[in-house]
Amino acid sequence: MGVTKSEIFTDQQNQISTFAKAFAHPARVAILEHLFNLSACVCGDLVNEIGLAQATISQHLKELKNLGLIKGEVEGTKVCYCIHQENWTAMKEIMNEFLNQDKTVTPECC
Amino acid sequence: MGVTKSEIFTDQQNQISTFAKAFAHPARVAILEHLFNLSACVCGDLVNEIGLAQATISQHLKELKNLGLIKGEVEGTKVCYCIHQENWTAMKEIMNEFLNQDKTVTPECC
DNA sequence: ATTATCCATCGTAATATTGCAATGAATTTG
DNA sequence: CAAATTCATTGCAATATTACGATGGATAAT
């Protein structure tokens, strides 16, 4: 126990929860905001901006990269991270469809 | 040490991650979809639809309720759960602002 | 009143996540 | 080449999450 039973859910449900997990930590939200603002894109800068250890930021960057939401480019000893525009857009559509479910029905039940 | 340092993040960042956590599990995504579809709204029905134990579903319902995304109404021995429309809309705006950040900048960096 | 149904809560076990120090690989600089 | 810089990875420790059986309270049905 303690392990999510993803077999019993649809691909769409698992996909939504996977994307949501990316945003389910304030550090990753902060990282993404910095990348969008272009206020920091190098790992070291993000470490300074956000107050977490380098190893921790690197780990969060890895998760975002694995999900495809960002991409990293090596520039000498530094690595510059950027939003992966296409994948971000694709993710957004999936999340929006889920969030906008309330538009498609005229509810009332209890 | 396993505990999120929410003090170092903005209220907005913490709020987004908190909402995202609600969707970060496929069972909660499934529950919300059932509530929107009106295909099940009583706890017992949700247990049958989704293949998890009653205690587990009850726990997920509690989390969604604590976040204010759903509300429960006692009807005899049953409890009918519904989407909390207003709070859902408010949450949606916050999440949309975050997801649509890519509209506000003309990036390119690396 | 007794029984049955429904659901929340508690306790427990297992897995996942978060955070960091330490280490090491790659590159740049001196 | 040596030293310095930057970042990814590894190995731990601590906390959080997921799941479920068991229990108990509340209401409905008999």
Side-chain angles (χ1 to χ4, degrees):
Chain A
M1 297 108 210
V3 66
T4 297
K5 295 189 167 179
S6 31
E7 330 87 54
I8 67 174
F9 300 103
T10 67
D11 287 349
Q12 181 241 20
Q13 288 162 345
N14 283 314
Q15 196 171 26
I16 288 173
S17 65
T18 300
F19 280 136
K21 239 171 257 175
F23 312 133
H25 194 288
R28 290 190 291 269
V29 172
I31 287 173
L32 290 167
E33 287 181 348
H34 279 295
L35 296 189
F36 273 121
N37 294 340
L38 306 180
S39 57
C41 87
V42 175
C43 175
D45 293 344
L46 289 166
V47 172
N48 291 333
E49 293 280 341
I50 305 168
L52 292 174
Q54 183 265 324
T56 308
I57 296 291
S58 189
Q59 202 175 349
H60 284 304
L61 284 168
K62 186 183 178 183
E63 290 177 54
L64 291 172
K65 197 175 162 190
N66 284 344
L67 267 176
L69 295 178
I70 66 175
K71 49 187 170 182
E73 213 167 79
V74 179
E75 293 181 355
T77 78
K78 305 192 173 185
V79 176
C80 178
Y81 285 96
C82 279
I83 300 290
H84 191 308
Q85 301 288 338
E86 290 175 29
N87 291 353
W88 183 271
T89 303
M91 174 279 294
K92 225 172 59 172
E93 278 179 34
I94 292 172
M95 293 305 282
N96 268 328
E97 195 176 351
F98 174 73
L99 292 173
N100 288 326
Q101 275 174 104
D102 57 340
K103 297 282 180 188
T104 61
V105 273
T106 317
E108 278 326 286
C109 157
C110 44
Chain B
M1 296 113 206
V3 66
T4 297
K5 294 189 167 180
S6 34
E7 331 86 55
I8 67 174
F9 300 104
T10 67
D11 287 349
Q12 182 242 15
Q13 288 162 346
N14 283 314
Q15 197 171 26
I16 288 173
S17 65
T18 301
F19 281 136
K21 238 170 261 177
F23 312 132
H25 194 287
R28 291 191 290 270
V29 171
I31 287 172
L32 290 167
E33 287 180 348
H34 279 295
L35 296 190
F36 272 121
N37 294 340
L38 305 181
S39 56
C41 87
V42 176
C43 177
D45 294 343
L46 289 166
V47 171
N48 291 334
E49 293 281 339
I50 306 169
L52 292 174
Q54 184 265 325
T56 306
I57 296 291
S58 188
Q59 201 174 350
H60 285 304
L61 285 167
K62 186 182 178 183
E63 290 176 54
L64 291 172
K65 197 174 164 192
N66 284 343
L67 267 175
L69 294 179
I70 66 174
K71 50 187 170 183
E73 214 167 80
V74 179
E75 292 181 357
T77 79
K78 305 193 174 186
V79 176
C80 177
Y81 285 97
C82 279
I83 300 291
H84 191 308
Q85 302 286 339
E86 290 174 29
N87 291 353
W88 182 271
T89 304
M91 174 280 294
K92 224 171 61 172
E93 278 179 33
I94 291 173
M95 292 305 282
N96 268 329
E97 195 177 351
F98 174 73
L99 292 173
N100 288 327
Q101 275 174 103
D102 57 340
K103 297 282 179 186
T104 61
V105 274
T106 318
E108 279 323 289
C109 157
C110 42

